[in-house]
């Protein structure tokens, strides 16, 4: 259990804490502040685990398996929580989940053939858009809650709609790119 894998495990352990803050509004004062702090901390573990693993040359199969699972779980959990508040259209969440199933399935098929499908620029851009969108929406929720900026409520709804559909578009483009580049993995002749 090296440092990058410990950071990945920490990210997984932070997901239920994040969800608790997001959904615990009646029981946890300033729950959105806690949610954004936990989300940013979890996101930073993603940034550091990869850098450390590559720098120290300690990339493991355990890390290759668990890291993407932790990333997807964190992002999907955030979008499901935001959808529960009516800030994200359920169709967006379905698109995001379907994209993750598609890419994960392609990767599993490729692994069976002894190949690795690495993240490409489209996948990385999609991730950046998702992280930025989640943090921006959480920040707006914090401002409304902590500073009683209720006038931001209509802006939050608009921002949530624009950002979530932007995330959906990035997911579709990224998913289509993975599918086109790796269609040989699911060729009917195979």
């Amino acid at each position: 259990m090296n440092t990058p894998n410990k950071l990945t495990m920490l990210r997984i352990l932070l997901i239920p804490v994040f969800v608790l803050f997001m959904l615990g509004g009646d029981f946890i004062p300033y729950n959105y502040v806690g949610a954004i702090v936990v989300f940013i901390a979890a996101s930073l573990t993603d940034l550091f685990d990869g850098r450390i693993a590559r720098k120290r040359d300690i990339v493991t199969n355990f890390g290759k398996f668990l890291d993407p699972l932790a990333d997807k779980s964190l992002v999907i959990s955030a979008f499901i929580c935001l959808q529960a508040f009516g800030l994200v259209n359920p169709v967006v969440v379905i698109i995001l989940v379907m994209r993750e199933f598609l890419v994960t399935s392609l990767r599993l098929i490729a692994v069976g053939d002894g190949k690795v499908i690495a993240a490409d620029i489209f996948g990385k851009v999609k991730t950046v858009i998702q992280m930025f969108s989640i943090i921006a929406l959480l920040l707006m929720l914090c401002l409304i809650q902590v500073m009683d900026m209720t006038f931001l409520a209509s802006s939050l709804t608009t921002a949530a709609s624009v950002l979530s559909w932007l995330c959906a578009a990035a997911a579709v483009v990224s998913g289509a790119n993975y599918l086109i580049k790796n269609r040989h993995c699911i060729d009917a002749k195979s």
Side-chain angles (χ1 to χ4, degrees):
M1 185 60 71
N2 59 39
T3 301
N5 289 343
K6 288 177 184 176
L7 288 170
T8 301
M9 291 297 297
L10 176 60
R11 185 160 65 259
I12 289 172
L13 294 173
L14 287 174
I15 294 169
V17 177
F18 167 75
V19 171
L20 178 67
F21 275 115
M22 284 297 290
L23 302 179
D26 295 338
F27 307 104
I28 304 170
Y30 301 113
N31 61 308
Y32 298 131
V33 174
I36 196 169
V37 168
V38 171
F39 187 85
I40 290 171
S43 298
L44 288 174
T45 66
D46 182 32
L47 177 69
F48 292 125
D49 68 3
R51 284 187 181 176
I52 294 169
R54 286 185 295 278
K55 184 177 179 181
R56 296 183 185 170
D57 195 28
I58 50 175
V59 176
T60 64
N61 286 335
F62 180 78
K64 287 183 205 176
F65 165 75
L66 208 57
D67 184 65
L69 179 65
D71 298 345
K72 292 168 187 2
S73 299
L74 177 65
V75 168
I76 296 299
S77 296
F79 276 104
I80 289 171
C81 289
L82 291 167
Q83 192 278 323
F85 298 138
L87 294 173
V88 173
N89 189 304
V91 174
V92 169
V93 176
I94 291 167
I95 289 169
L96 298 178
V97 170
M98 288 179 66
R99 185 264 182 208
E100 298 309 335
F101 280 140
L102 169 77
V103 173
T104 300
S105 297
L106 282 171
R107 285 183 169 144
L108 288 173
I109 292 167
V111 165
D113 293 337
K115 299 172 186 157
V116 174
I117 299 176
D120 66 7
I121 188 67
F122 290 98
K124 292 176 182 180
V125 168
K126 179 226 28 132
T127 300
V128 168
I129 291 170
Q130 288 177 339
M131 295 297 190
F132 170 80
S133 298
I134 293 166
I135 291 170
L137 295 175
L138 290 175
L139 184 59
M140 289 180 78
L141 284 169
C142 286
L143 290 172
I144 291 168
Q145 184 178 57
V146 173
M147 303 179 113
D148 198 27
M149 296 178 150
T150 52
F151 65 89
L152 282 177
S154 62
S155 297
L156 173 64
T157 304
T158 303
S161 180
V162 169
L163 291 172
S164 63
W165 283 107
L166 179 62
C167 289
V172 168
V173 169
S174 171
N177 179 58
Y178 276 103
L179 186 59
I180 291 166
K181 282 175 48 178
N182 300 289
R183 65 186 174 276
H184 60 276
C185 291
I186 53 172
D187 184 3
K189 297 175 189 172
S190 299

